Amino acid sequence: MKIKDLRVHSIAVADPPLRSSYGLHAPYALRTIIELESEDGIVGINETYGGEAPAAALRAIRGRIIGQDAFRITGLLQSDTTPTSTSRDRSQTYLLPGENPLDEHTRTFAAIEVACLDLIGKSIGVAVCDLLGGRVRNKVPFSAYPFFKHAGGGGEGDDVREDEYGEALNPEAVVMQVKEMIARYGFGSVKFKGGVFDPDLEIATVRLMREEFGPSIPLRIDPNAAWTVETAVRVGATLADALSNGGYLEDPVAGIAHMASVRKRLLDLGIQTPLASNVAITSFDHIPAAVASDAVQVILCDHHYWGGMRQVQHLAKLAHTFNIGLSMHSNSHLGISLMAMAHVAAATPHLTYACDTHYPWQSEKDEVVTGGRIDIKHGCVTIPEKPGLGVDLDFDQLARGKERYGRISYKKRDDEAEMRRRIDPGWKRLLPRW
Amino acid sequence: MKIKDLRVHSIAVADPPLRSSYGLHAPYALRTIIELESEDGIVGINETYGGEAPAAALRAIRGRIIGQDAFRITGLLQSDTTPTSTSRDRSQTYLLPGENPLDEHTRTFAAIEVACLDLIGKSIGVAVCDLLGGRVRNKVPFSAYPFFKHAGGGGEGDDVREDEYGEALNPEAVVMQVKEMIARYGFGSVKFKGGVFDPDLEIATVRLMREEFGPSIPLRIDPNAAWTVETAVRVGATLADALSNGGYLEDPVAGIAHMASVRKRLLDLGIQTPLASNVAITSFDHIPAAVASDAVQVILCDHHYWGGMRQVQHLAKLAHTFNIGLSMHSNSHLGISLMAMAHVAAATPHLTYACDTHYPWQSEKDEVVTGGRIDIKHGCVTIPEKPGLGVDLDFDQLARGKERYGRISYKKRDDEAEMRRRIDPGWKRLLPRW
């Protein structure tokens, strides 16, 4: 199945002013859509990180892709020359997901791999999950993903989107946001983005959620490494009940050693709340130290930066082997990424938590798959009875996204700069902040 | 790609009287050949452990296979209910490969998985290695595999086979055996089966090989856990030079804890010779303890009992992550297993040693693939430009193998009983023996 063409499309989609320890989401999230065409004229598609650098990296390997057999793609990852002695720097502690140059190769390979799988699937009439060994589930559960946010639905000028959830800068408003999300999508668990305000306010927010939704809705809080070990232990101890029954404490502190300290101190207090990570642990290089020090009990996988779907399956088996849970990380994304996440999750037996998704934060107006937004019902995405990823490109919508990208000044995600621009000119990301 | 039929064929093939710490090879090695037929009438094939139990296990899951989609097979492994708290008993320390009932599910799944991959490959015109993410090598290196052996080429009555290598019960004869194998197949490394005679004789054998072949031919010795920690350390120290340059000491002692002791004591002596295992470590359950105690530096994979080709790929990534080398184990086998080993090796980036193979011990007269025996040239099997595994069944030869199986009394591998029957009526397997 020879590849005849690789087309790379940079698009922008409206994104609401969501807050995290990294700063503030800009009015646009950037994504890259790729098309991989075979000699038979069949096209595989995929979606990955946006902005200039990811698109440039994809264009740079175009010459190595054209003429290749879509089935024989592992060799591309094999040629990864990323040094393995830079584990710490390879994390997402200081850089946003998608922005660490040390992961560029794995991100680029992942983008090509999924497009190949979609191309293969569409060519032979098989769903991507079944190309990966076969689905073990048809419905993939996702979590509600509430954020502290300012007013606004994202976009600028003609692109301004309806603010579906409104401003949420206090516990009550965040709980309202979750209620709304559960009403619309039926989510059965909640991942709450913290690290934004004083930990006591965030503790109060989690507690209010627990009161409101009860123990049947597992809760997670993720401050993206904003806390000291001391603070993390205090929050962990205070929220021991609220995070019980399937919840976890995600990246409370920066780095594997600090994560291990938090774990040890919580265990000393008799608190079993698992620690999860997609900030300290973002590559296989990080795992030996994490395992040796019991730094994480849950790893958040993400095929976009772990090197593709097969690497996520390897990671899952590794996690299962070491009795580590597996969840899934998300970035702002559209329907192609959502379906890709669902397919790899469907083909991964050891997926032990509902996956994250930012999908509720995006708008129908920006979706680039035909038929509009993917359904999330009862909190789940169902694997469709269609070949490949099960989605196709809406070229009118793609053109709108490209036009938007060309028009705006945002070409690289920079939440810290955006925070300074919109909220606080003196703002700096501090690790730890509290 | 619905599966319409599963056919299970028990065959016997002549096998020379090879010695190991388990005892003596019987005059026949037993194998099971399976055919998996799709609704389109295309047939995928595979080869696995022989005798009554493996064939019965395959027949027992026939009802779960018929009507299934060959692409959706992971679920079968997912339903593995083997308890994970029996790591020690799951090893091959006390039972021969293929004989541990705790691994029956993974062995049975593996047999089906490979047949599915062959069926899929033959249906869509793609090589099995490329269904697994793509080949990273076209030629897969194998090792010469000398044994102490008695006179005879295996088989009984009309089945008696030519004794290509002659009796080999001393160092000189084993070196002659290796020379002959290298002359015929071009092997570039040697894996020597020890654990049979006094360790000093085996030390002398390895040293003679080193003298004869020089440091460019890496040497391994595998006594299948026949030694005490004391003896293993002495052999490791004595053979430090002879096993350097890409060699290893394989399963010198029984169990992960003893392996770790040997490793520590050798390191204390400044000896870096890696320890390898396919006896102490035969499942993912064994890995956490092995990693924590640095018990092995090389794992021998084997898709036949690790649960299939994808599980071997998971194992390889795990080994790479923990800086553990990967080699490949072999049992007495024919061309289908050899090609399956070659395909999974071709699609596994982190394969750091030449694979084991018993193939030189089998005969053209017993081969069941069309066109006769698979070529091993310059020590390598080349992945053919053919779909699936690249081999097809010779039904006349298959019929002869089945007839042979029906006629003989051997229905289960039992090297200890065979040793008593042929060599020493009082023989018992002792762990450790020396």
Side-chain angles (χ1 to χ4, degrees):
Chain A
M1 195 169 296
K2 265 205 181 146
I3 296 167
K4 190 176 71 180
D5 198 11
L6 166 65
R7 294 184 286 274
V8 178
H9 309 287
S10 294
I11 65 168
V13 300
D15 200 30
L18 308 180
R19 292 281 295 272
S20 77
S21 86
Y22 291 102
L24 177 71
H25 282 212
Y28 295 95
L30 310 177
R31 299 298 281 170
T32 306
I33 306 297
I34 69 178
E35 294 180 273
L36 210 55
E37 186 172 347
S38 71
E39 284 188 336
D40 296 338
I42 296 171
V43 178
I45 61 174
N46 190 24
E47 173 187 349
T48 186
Y49 299 98
E52 296 299 275
L58 282 160
R59 289 193 184 101
I61 61 159
R62 192 170 184 276
R64 286 171 63 195
I65 303 296
I66 308 294
Q68 291 291 312
D69 182 339
F71 278 104
R72 301 189 186 182
I73 211 70
T74 297
L76 271 181
L77 188 59
Q78 170 73 344
S79 68
D80 180 356
T81 53
T82 308
T84 54
S85 56
T86 52
S87 305
R88 184 175 162 280
D89 298 325
R90 200 167 173 174
S91 77
Q92 291 171 173
T93 309
Y94 302 98
L95 293 164
L96 284 157
E99 296 293 343
N100 194 325
L102 291 172
D103 280 335
E104 184 182 285
H105 179 87
T106 51
R107 290 194 301 268
T108 306
F109 174 82
I112 297 294
E113 184 218 37
V114 176
C116 284
L117 288 166
D118 187 48
L119 172 59
I120 291 168
K122 283 175 174 155
S123 300
I124 67 172
V126 174
V128 163
C129 56
D130 297 328
L131 293 175
L132 296 168
R135 66 192 74 188
V136 293
R137 52 183 75 82
N138 263 313
K139 293 178 189 297
V140 174
F142 287 84
S143 285
Y145 199 164
F147 283 75
F148 288 118
K149 73 180 280 291
H150 299 277
E156 294 177 321
D158 288 349
D159 297 324
V160 164
R161 303 289 176 237
E162 187 197 348
D163 186 5
E164 291 182 89
Y165 298 96
E167 183 183 83
L169 297 170
N170 59 56
E172 293 73 20
V174 172
V175 168
M176 282 299 296
Q177 201 187 86
V178 178
K179 274 192 181 170
E180 191 67 34
M181 282 183 180
I182 289 177
R184 289 182 195 195
Y185 300 101
F187 294 118
S189 56
V190 179
K191 181 236 180 81
F192 165 49
K193 182 61 83 184
V196 173
F197 295 122
D198 186 279
D200 286 324
L201 184 82
E202 302 192 346
I203 287 170
T205 305
V206 174
R207 284 188 156 162
L208 196 59
M209 282 192 233
R210 187 64 157 200
E211 277 171 37
E212 191 66 38
F213 306 115
S216 68
I217 303 276
L219 305 177
R220 319 165 187 169
I221 177 168
D222 172 20
N224 289 122
W227 301 336
T228 62
V229 169
E230 207 60 42
T231 301
V233 171
R234 183 170 71 83
V235 176
T238 312
L239 291 179
D241 266 1
L243 299 179
S244 64
N245 280 41
Y248 53 69
L249 186 56
E250 183 179 330
D251 285 307
V253 292
I256 290 169
H258 287 154
M259 293 285 286
S261 297
V262 173
R263 171 66 170 170
K264 187 175 179 316
R265 289 183 53 186
L266 286 175
L267 284 181
D268 287 347
L269 295 171
I271 293 161
Q272 305 285 339
T273 307
L275 301 189
S277 180
N278 68 277
V279 171
I281 313 239
T282 62
S283 78
F284 288 93
D285 294 350
H286 294 120
I287 288 176
V291 164
S293 61
D294 192 24
V296 287
Q297 294 71 53
V298 182
I299 294 175
L300 283 87
C301 67
D302 184 331
H303 69 271
H304 299 89
Y305 66 77
W306 277 88
M309 291 183 167
R310 289 191 173 90
Q311 298 297 313
V312 163
Q313 291 183 302
H314 295 328
L315 174 64
K317 184 72 194 193
L318 189 158
H320 181 252
T321 300
F322 286 92
N323 197 28
I324 293 172
L326 196 82
S327 187
M328 191 181 287
H329 168 260
S330 146
N331 263 128
S332 302
H333 64 86
L334 295 173
I336 304 172
S337 274
L338 181 65
M339 285 311 303
M341 293 160 74
H343 275 274
V344 68
T348 301
H350 182 68
L351 181 82
T352 56
Y353 293 90
C355 305
D356 291 355
T357 178
H358 289 65
Y359 201 59
W361 295 112
Q362 266 52 68
S363 156
E364 175 84 27
K365 290 190 174 163
D366 298 319
E367 183 54 88
V368 295
V369 302
T370 55
R373 277 165 72 75
I374 310 294
D375 272 345
I376 300 178
K377 277 188 182 157
H378 306 295
C380 291
V381 170
T382 300
I383 303 296
E385 288 295 326
K386 289 180 183 172
L389 293 171
V391 284
D392 295 294
L393 274 177
D394 179 326
F395 287 97
D396 291 338
Q397 283 293 85
L398 181 69
R400 287 185 196 103
K402 290 173 76 167
E403 180 275 325
R404 221 177 282 125
Y405 182 84
R407 173 167 34 88
I408 65 177
S409 61
Y410 297 96
K411 303 291 173 187
K412 178 183 192 312
R413 183 174 169 191
D414 188 343
D415 290 17
E416 190 169 354
E418 193 63 17
M419 186 72 185
R420 283 197 287 267
R421 192 174 297 130
R422 307 251 170 190
I423 309 291
D424 177 356
W427 197 86
K428 275 195 175 161
R429 185 159 187 247
L430 290 180
L431 288 185
R433 183 176 299 277
W434 292 280
Chain B
M1 194 170 297
K2 264 204 183 148
I3 296 167
K4 190 177 69 179
D5 198 11
L6 166 64
R7 295 184 286 274
V8 178
H9 309 287
S10 295
I11 64 168
V13 301
D15 200 28
L18 308 180
R19 291 280 296 272
S20 77
S21 86
Y22 292 102
L24 176 72
H25 283 213
Y28 295 95
L30 310 177
R31 301 297 281 168
T32 306
I33 307 297
I34 67 177
E35 294 181 275
L36 210 56
E37 185 172 349
S38 72
E39 283 189 336
D40 296 337
I42 296 171
V43 178
I45 61 174
N46 192 24
E47 173 188 348
T48 187
Y49 299 97
E52 295 300 276
L58 282 160
R59 289 195 184 98
I61 60 159
R62 193 170 183 277
R64 287 171 62 196
I65 303 295
I66 308 293
Q68 291 292 312
D69 182 339
F71 278 103
R72 300 188 187 183
I73 211 70
T74 297
L76 271 181
L77 187 59
Q78 172 72 343
S79 67
D80 180 356
T81 52
T82 308
T84 55
S85 55
T86 52
S87 303
R88 184 175 162 283
D89 297 327
R90 200 169 174 171
S91 77
Q92 293 172 173
T93 308
Y94 302 97
L95 293 164
L96 283 158
E99 296 293 342
N100 195 325
L102 291 171
D103 280 335
E104 183 181 287
H105 179 87
T106 51
R107 288 194 303 266
T108 305
F109 174 82
I112 297 295
E113 184 218 38
V114 176
C116 284
L117 287 167
D118 186 48
L119 172 60
I120 290 168
K122 283 175 174 156
S123 299
I124 67 173
V126 174
V128 164
C129 55
D130 297 328
L131 293 174
L132 296 168
R135 66 191 75 188
V136 293
R137 52 183 74 83
N138 263 314
K139 293 179 189 295
V140 174
F142 287 84
S143 285
Y145 200 164
F147 282 74
F148 287 117
K149 74 181 279 290
H150 299 277
E156 293 177 322
D158 289 347
D159 298 324
V160 164
R161 302 291 175 236
E162 187 198 349
D163 186 5
E164 291 181 87
Y165 299 96
E167 183 184 83
L169 297 171
N170 59 56
E172 293 72 20
V174 171
V175 168
M176 280 300 295
Q177 200 187 85
V178 177
K179 273 191 184 173
E180 191 69 35
M181 282 184 180
I182 290 178
R184 288 183 196 194
Y185 300 102
F187 293 120
S189 55
V190 178
K191 181 236 180 79
F192 165 50
K193 180 62 82 183
V196 174
F197 294 122
D198 186 279
D200 286 323
L201 184 83
E202 302 193 346
I203 287 171
T205 306
V206 173
R207 283 189 157 163
L208 195 59
M209 281 192 233
R210 187 64 158 200
E211 274 170 40
E212 191 66 36
F213 305 116
S216 68
I217 303 276
L219 306 177
R220 320 165 185 168
I221 177 168
D222 172 20
N224 289 123
W227 300 336
T228 63
V229 169
E230 206 61 40
T231 300
V233 171
R234 182 170 71 83
V235 176
T238 311
L239 290 179
D241 267 359
L243 298 179
S244 64
N245 281 40
Y248 53 68
L249 186 55
E250 184 179 329
D251 284 308
V253 292
I256 291 170
H258 286 154
M259 292 285 286
S261 299
V262 173
R263 171 66 170 171
K264 188 176 178 314
R265 288 184 52 186
L266 286 176
L267 284 181
D268 287 347
L269 295 172
I271 293 162
Q272 305 286 339
T273 308
L275 301 189
S277 180
N278 68 275
V279 171
I281 313 235
T282 62
S283 78
F284 289 93
D285 295 350
H286 295 120
I287 288 177
V291 164
S293 61
D294 191 24
V296 286
Q297 294 70 54
V298 182
I299 294 173
L300 283 88
C301 66
D302 184 332
H303 70 270
H304 299 89
Y305 65 78
W306 276 88
M309 291 184 168
R310 288 189 174 90
Q311 298 298 313
V312 163
Q313 290 184 303
H314 296 329
L315 174 64
K317 184 72 194 191
L318 189 158
H320 181 251
T321 300
F322 286 93
N323 197 29
I324 293 171
L326 196 81
S327 187
M328 191 182 286
H329 168 260
S330 146
N331 264 127
S332 302
H333 63 85
L334 294 173
I336 304 172
S337 274
L338 182 65
M339 285 310 304
M341 293 160 74
H343 275 275
V344 69
T348 301
H350 183 68
L351 180 83
T352 57
Y353 292 90
C355 305
D356 290 356
T357 178
H358 288 65
Y359 201 58
W361 295 111
Q362 265 52 67
S363 155
E364 175 85 27
K365 290 191 175 163
D366 297 319
E367 182 54 88
V368 295
V369 302
T370 56
R373 276 165 72 76
I374 310 294
D375 272 345
I376 300 180
K377 278 188 182 157
H378 306 296
C380 292
V381 171
T382 300
I383 303 295
E385 288 296 326
K386 289 180 183 171
L389 293 172
V391 283
D392 295 293
L393 274 177
D394 178 327
F395 287 97
D396 291 339
Q397 282 292 86
L398 182 68
R400 288 186 194 102
K402 291 173 74 167
E403 182 276 327
R404 220 176 284 126
Y405 182 85
R407 174 166 36 89
I408 64 176
S409 60
Y410 297 96
K411 304 292 175 187
K412 180 182 190 311
R413 182 176 170 189
D414 189 343
D415 290 16
E416 190 170 352
E418 193 63 16
M419 185 72 185
R420 282 197 286 268
R421 191 173 300 128
R422 308 249 168 191
I423 310 288
D424 176 358
W427 197 85
K428 274 195 176 164
R429 184 161 187 247
L430 290 180
L431 288 185
R433 183 176 298 275
W434 292 281

